Amino acid sequence: MAIFSRGKRSNDRAAEQTPDVPATERGDDTRAAEGAAAGETPAEPVPHVGISLSTFGQPAPAAAAPAAKRPPKPRSQAPEVAPVPTETLPGLRDNTLVAATLATLPEQPDGVDLMNVARQLLQGHLFLRVKGDARALIAEGKNLPLAMATLGEKKFALAYSSGAALQASVRADGDTATSAMGQPVIAVIRHVLSGDYDGLVIDHASAPARAVLPTALLEKMVENFDEELTLKSLLAGERGPDTAARVAQALTHAKLWVAVNRAEEDGPVGVAESRSSDGSRYLEVYSHPLEVVAGGRGDQAAPITGDQLARSLRGDANLTGVVVDPRGPFLRLTRDDLAPVLALAD
């Protein structure tokens, strides 16, 4: 590990590829159409990661080639709620959702594995290691020399999901003359994008529970996000009696997407739904395009407004409600819960 001040932004970007792996949400997925073009992710050493980003925020094309069928890859069941907050170092509240997602990574994560880490980063904070006393440096108005790693000619900023990951980093390099500071995730990502970095490494000394996110993916993360991260924060936070009402109210004005696809070339475009064990139908609604792409089904993210969502619900009386971010943490809302949304159609 090396310690450097922030430099200016590099023009190098990781190449985009398209993984093809199955979805992770709970319940039976149903749609009028399914399948889209998918390519192979080439075998290259870390830090390259295959990503599928070209369709973020775009509606379905006029036609798409059917996806090649492959054996399903087992995925963990989507969590309904985020893990209970922890402090593995006193005074440092872990980002338990990111840490828990990293803990599920295999020895050789694929693009979808890493995009699932990326989508969980759209809430909360990360920790940064600083050479010296971070508070003193800030008070003196000095640049913060942040931890950085290099691989060949590429440079990566380092960040940590928890106190335990920070401890692992200190044990790995033996540099105890450092301090930690927590920063909102979006501030960390923007710092990386404004500097001379090729990406961000989360928990670099905690293999295999670590992730390398190239700048191409970080750029897509901030292209279509809600400045307040309202939905992600509500879903990742502690649930209470008013959570459903707060999420429903957020759906009236927040940026939203649905997952669209077609089963065959020239076939109709379908919108993804989930069905519970009792047959109830829930329209899948997403807080960010990355939530759609991370399913690995070849779906595309199509934007939808609160008004359009209200009309969709009014137009199909058999829809029980919606499920928000079905890959977890998720929340199912019934028509009664969605009264503020339905009122938009009146």
Side-chain angles (χ1 to χ4, degrees):
M1 181 186 74
I3 304 294
F4 294 93
S5 296
R6 188 173 75 180
K8 68 179 182 179
R9 186 173 175 181
S10 168
N11 291 325
D12 295 336
R13 293 292 177 261
E16 294 185 1
Q17 302 293 335
T18 307
D20 182 22
V21 289
T24 60
E25 70 270 33
R26 294 172 63 175
D28 298 325
D29 174 62
T30 60
R31 67 190 68 228
E34 209 170 29
E40 296 286 350
T41 301
E44 294 186 15
V46 171
H48 175 83
V49 54
I51 53 178
S52 176
L53 300 168
S54 60
T55 59
F56 271 17
Q58 300 295 323
K69 298 299 182 182
R70 302 177 187 171
K73 178 178 178 179
R75 301 281 176 179
S76 58
Q77 190 178 56
E80 183 169 1
V81 298
V84 176
T86 59
E87 288 187 6
T88 50
L89 279 181
L92 298 181
R93 186 168 180 170
D94 303 332
N95 191 324
T96 51
L97 186 54
V98 173
T101 305
L102 288 168
T104 67
L105 292 179
E107 287 285 345
Q108 296 183 338
D110 63 17
V112 170
D113 291 319
L114 296 182
M115 282 193 290
N116 272 289
V117 174
R119 72 181 182 86
Q120 301 295 25
L121 282 172
L122 293 172
Q123 54 79 37
H125 63 277
L126 291 172
F127 298 108
L128 302 173
R129 279 183 74 188
V130 177
K131 185 70 173 178
D133 186 326
R135 290 185 180 180
L137 290 169
I138 292 173
E140 295 169 11
K142 295 181 179 180
N143 287 333
L144 297 177
L146 301 178
M148 189 180 79
T150 60
L151 180 62
E153 296 182 353
K154 293 188 175 183
K155 296 181 289 187
F156 297 85
L158 302 181
Y160 306 88
S161 66
S162 65
L166 277 165
Q167 286 180 318
S169 178
V170 173
R171 287 194 300 268
D173 59 43
D175 188 354
T176 59
T178 58
S179 57
M181 65 176 186
Q183 289 288 297
V185 165
I186 294 303
V188 174
I189 293 174
R190 283 179 167 157
H191 168 79
V192 175
L193 292 177
S194 65
D196 188 20
Y197 299 110
D198 294 283
L200 175 67
V201 182
I202 312 294
D203 296 358
H204 76 104
S206 304
R210 67 180 176 191
V212 180
L213 308 180
T215 48
L217 178 53
L218 299 178
E219 286 172 340
K220 290 297 181 181
M221 290 171 66
V222 299
E223 272 185 11
N224 292 291
F225 81 105
D226 169 15
E227 287 284 348
E228 302 298 324
L229 298 179
T230 307
L231 284 173
K232 291 291 290 187
S233 298
L234 286 170
L235 296 176
E238 184 177 353
R239 304 286 174 95
D242 64 340
T243 299
R246 295 173 67 189
V247 172
Q249 188 61 46
L251 292 177
T252 65
H253 58 80
K255 292 183 177 181
L256 303 172
W257 285 264
V258 292
V260 299
N261 214 321
R262 60 181 82 232
E264 57 187 28
E265 189 175 0
D266 299 327
V269 173
V271 179
E273 298 176 2
S274 291
R275 286 189 181 178
S276 60
S277 57
D278 63 3
S280 300
R281 293 171 52 215
Y282 293 86
L283 182 67
E284 295 181 4
V285 178
Y286 297 87
S287 63
H288 191 279
L290 186 59
E291 293 282 341
V292 176
V293 180
R297 301 181 300 194
D299 292 341
Q300 294 184 347
I304 185 172
T305 65
D307 289 350
Q308 291 171 322
L309 176 60
R311 291 197 295 272
S312 295
L313 291 166
R314 291 285 197 192
D316 189 344
N318 292 320
L319 278 173
T320 305
V322 303
V323 54
V324 186
D325 284 354
R327 294 181 180 99
F330 66 86
L331 184 66
R332 289 192 179 99
L333 299 174
T334 66
R335 285 179 174 271
D336 288 342
D337 297 324
L338 293 166
V341 177
L342 291 169
L344 297 175
D346 293 338

